[in-house]
Amino acid sequence: MCDVVIVGAGLAGAVSARKLAEMQKKVLVLEKRDTIAGNAYDCLDENGVRIHVYGPHIFHTNHQGVYEFLCRFCNMVPYEHRVLGRIDSKLVPIPFNFQSLEILLPEKADDLKQRLLTAFPNTSKISILTLLDHSDKELKKLGEFIFEKVFVHYTAKQWGIPISEVDTSVINRVPVVLGYDDRYFQDTYQCMPENGYTELIREMLNHPNITVELSCDATKRLCVNESNQILFDGNTWEKPVIYTGAIDELFSYRYGSLPYRSLRFSFESFEQDYFQAAAVVNYPNEEDFTRITEFKHFTGLRPEGSTTIVKEYPLMYDKTNPEADIPYYPIDQLENKKLYRRYLEDVECCSQLYLCGRLAEYRYYNMDAVVESALRLVEKIKKG
C-alpha cells in the first residue's frame, strides 16, 4: 500500500522520497544493493578513515535552495577541493593556472601570463579549445602544450576513445584558469556532510511515510510491458514511479544496451599520516590509472599514523564482468543519444513513469544538479 514507488536509494531517490513523504504520500523505495546512498555510499574502513567506496564525491553548488535543503539533514562543513596533476614528474595545480605555468614553463611564464591577461581581460577562466583556436601563435602553442599534457591522454584513458571522438562538452568541464585560484570549483557553496553522505541520506529517508527495501532488485518486481504499461508485482500500476536506474535495464534492453564507462577501484592503506599533498592527484599520462584519492584530506575523521588511498582504473562497462558491472558515466556520443531517445519515446508513453538521475537520464550530473532535478520532478508530480 503506497502512493509512489521509487527505484534507487541514492541521492535522486532519497530527495524525491523525502519531498513526497512531506506531501503526505506513502513512498516505497526499492534498492538493489544492501546499502543506501547509491554511489555516494561512504563508511569507515579498518583504519577509521571515512572512504568513498565508489569514488570521491565532492559537493559544490551555486544554488542556495539546494544547499539549504541538504542542510536540513546534516551539518555541512566547508571544504574547498584542490587537485594536483603529475606532469613531467612535477605536481602542478589542476585546472591549469598561472602557478602550473610557472612550474612547467618557467622561462616563458611571465610573457605568457601577460599575453593571456591582454587577450582575455576581465576573464577568470577559458576553455582549452579557445586557446587552441587563438590567433596569437604563442597562446596557440601554449594551448597545444596544455592540451597534450593535461587533456589528451587523461581523456583517452577515462573514455577509452581518442580525444577527437569525445564531445567538446566533456573537454570543457575542466577550464584553464587565468590567475592563481587553485580551487577545483569556484561555486558559492563548497562543503561536505560532516558525518558522510550515507548518514545524510539515512536522515533524509528517516520519515514515517517512507519504507525502504534493501537487497531488492526492482526489475524483478517492476517492468514495462510491450504495450508500455507499468506492471508492479504482476499487476498494472497506475500510480507514479520514479526510476533512477539504467533506463535500458528497465525496458529489458529491448533496443540494445546503452554504453557506459565503469571504474575499477584499488584501495591501499599505509601506516603514515599522509600519502600525498592533496585529496586528489591526477595522473594524465604514463600510468594506467587516472587519479589517486586520499580520503583524509576530506572533512571527517583523521586518525594519526594511518591513511587510505584509492586508485581509479577506467574501463568499459560490462554487466557480465564483476570488475566492470557498475555503470558510472554515460558516453556522450551521437549514436548513444539516438539509442537513448528510442527508450525515452517509450517512457513518454507511460504517463506515470518519471526519470531522475545520471543513469535514468543518460547524462552527466553533478551532485547539486541531481538534487535540483529531483526537487523539480516532485513539483511536476505534485501538479499532476
Side-chain angles (χ1 to χ4, degrees):
M1 296 294 293
C2 63
D3 300 309
V4 182
V5 173
I6 297 178
V7 178
L11 193 57
V15 171
S16 303
R18 183 67 185 212
K19 290 297 290 184
L20 287 164
E22 291 173 350
M23 292 162 49
Q24 303 307 311
K25 301 292 186 182
K26 296 290 186 181
V27 183
L28 174 62
V29 180
L30 306 179
E31 170 54 51
K32 189 174 185 178
R33 292 175 178 158
D34 61 1
T35 57
I36 60 172
N39 288 346
Y41 174 73
D42 53 21
C43 63
L44 299 180
D45 71 358
E46 64 275 9
N47 295 319
V49 177
R50 189 182 306 283
I51 62 172
H52 296 188
V53 176
Y54 302 101
H57 284 70
I58 316 298
F59 181 79
H60 55 98
T61 188
N62 286 317
H63 195 301
Q64 184 177 354
V66 167
Y67 171 74
E68 291 177 348
F69 177 78
L70 295 185
C71 286
R72 291 175 51 195
F73 309 103
C74 71
N75 180 32
M76 298 295 278
V77 180
Y79 169 77
E80 292 185 333
H81 191 49
R82 287 174 169 81
V83 175
L84 298 174
R86 188 167 180 82
I87 299 172
D88 293 344
S89 300
K90 299 175 181 178
L91 292 176
V92 304
I94 301 292
F96 199 96
N97 68 4
F98 282 0
Q99 185 181 359
S100 314
L101 182 58
E102 291 169 355
I103 294 172
L104 294 176
L105 298 170
E107 295 180 356
K108 298 181 178 180
D110 288 342
D111 176 60
L112 289 171
K113 285 187 291 184
Q114 189 57 51
R115 288 175 184 266
L116 287 167
L117 293 173
T118 301
F120 306 101
N122 305 314
T123 303
S124 61
K125 55 186 177 182
I126 56 173
S127 164
I128 182 63
L129 301 178
T130 302
L131 274 184
L132 289 173
D133 292 335
H134 206 276
S135 58
D136 185 316
K137 292 182 179 179
E138 292 302 316
L139 292 185
K140 183 177 176 63
K141 286 181 182 178
L142 174 62
E144 292 169 348
F145 175 83
I146 298 173
F147 193 63
E148 172 70 22
K149 297 293 184 178
V150 178
F151 290 88
V152 172
H153 306 292
Y154 188 96
T155 304
K157 285 193 290 184
Q158 182 73 19
W159 297 102
I161 54 178
I163 196 168
S164 59
E165 298 178 23
V166 175
D167 192 272
T168 55
S169 64
V170 175
I171 298 171
N172 283 334
R173 288 177 195 155
V174 182
V176 175
V177 175
L178 305 183
Y180 291 92
D181 188 346
D182 63 349
R183 297 173 301 165
Y184 199 77
F185 308 111
Q186 284 75 44
D187 299 71
T188 303
Y189 304 99
Q190 301 183 48
C191 46
M192 300 278 277
E194 185 174 24
N195 295 316
Y197 291 105
T198 303
E199 185 62 25
L200 161 64
I201 291 178
R202 180 177 290 112
E203 287 298 314
M204 205 177 290
L205 293 170
N206 182 21
H207 191 284
N209 288 336
I210 299 175
T211 300
V212 180
E213 294 187 15
L214 300 178
S215 302
C216 178
D217 186 346
T219 60
K220 299 191 185 320
R221 299 185 61 186
L222 184 142
C223 69
V224 180
N225 65 16
E226 293 182 357
S227 301
N228 288 326
Q229 294 176 308
I230 302 173
L231 302 180
F232 184 55
D233 288 340
N235 300 311
T236 302
W237 181 263
E238 297 180 348
K239 298 177 183 179
V241 172
I242 297 177
Y243 186 79
T244 71
I247 187 174
D248 50 358
E249 184 178 14
L250 175 64
F251 287 89
S252 302
Y253 307 100
R254 63 175 60 166
Y255 302 123
S257 299
L258 283 162
Y260 298 87
R261 291 295 283 175
S262 188
L263 295 168
R264 179 173 66 84
F265 296 103
S266 178
F267 288 84
E268 299 178 44
S269 295
F270 299 90
E271 294 183 356
Q272 60 193 64
D273 283 343
Y274 285 96
F275 177 84
Q276 59 191 27
V280 172
V281 176
N282 286 356
Y283 289 80
N285 301 312
E286 295 85 3
E287 293 77 4
D288 291 335
F289 53 86
T290 52
R291 60 182 179 177
I292 296 178
T293 298
E294 184 174 21
F295 299 101
K296 282 179 65 173
H297 291 275
F298 298 152
T299 308
L301 297 175
R302 298 180 178 179
E304 295 181 0
S306 62
T307 191
T308 303
I309 67 165
V310 65
K311 297 176 181 176
E312 291 184 34
Y313 296 84
L315 65 168
M316 198 64 187
Y317 166 68
D318 180 356
K319 59 180 178 290
T320 66
N321 179 1
E323 288 195 341
D325 63 353
I326 300 176
Y328 284 97
Y329 301 109
I331 300 176
D332 195 356
Q333 291 182 304
L334 182 59
E335 60 268 30
N336 302 339
K337 292 178 180 178
K338 289 180 178 178
L339 178 56
Y340 174 74
R341 182 63 201 174
R342 293 189 69 186
Y343 283 111
L344 194 59
E345 287 172 356
D346 286 358
V347 171
E348 291 168 351
C349 294
C350 305
S351 61
Q352 293 299 312
L353 178 59
Y354 302 92
L355 305 178
C356 190
R358 183 181 294 195
L359 299 183
E361 298 181 65
Y362 202 71
R363 57 176 292 188
Y364 184 86
Y365 261 133
N366 287 328
M367 298 184 78
D368 64 324
V370 171
V371 176
E372 184 178 1
S373 178
L375 294 174
R376 285 201 310 266
L377 177 57
V378 170
E379 287 302 312
K380 178 180 179 180
I381 294 173
K382 179 181 178 181
K383 294 176 181 177

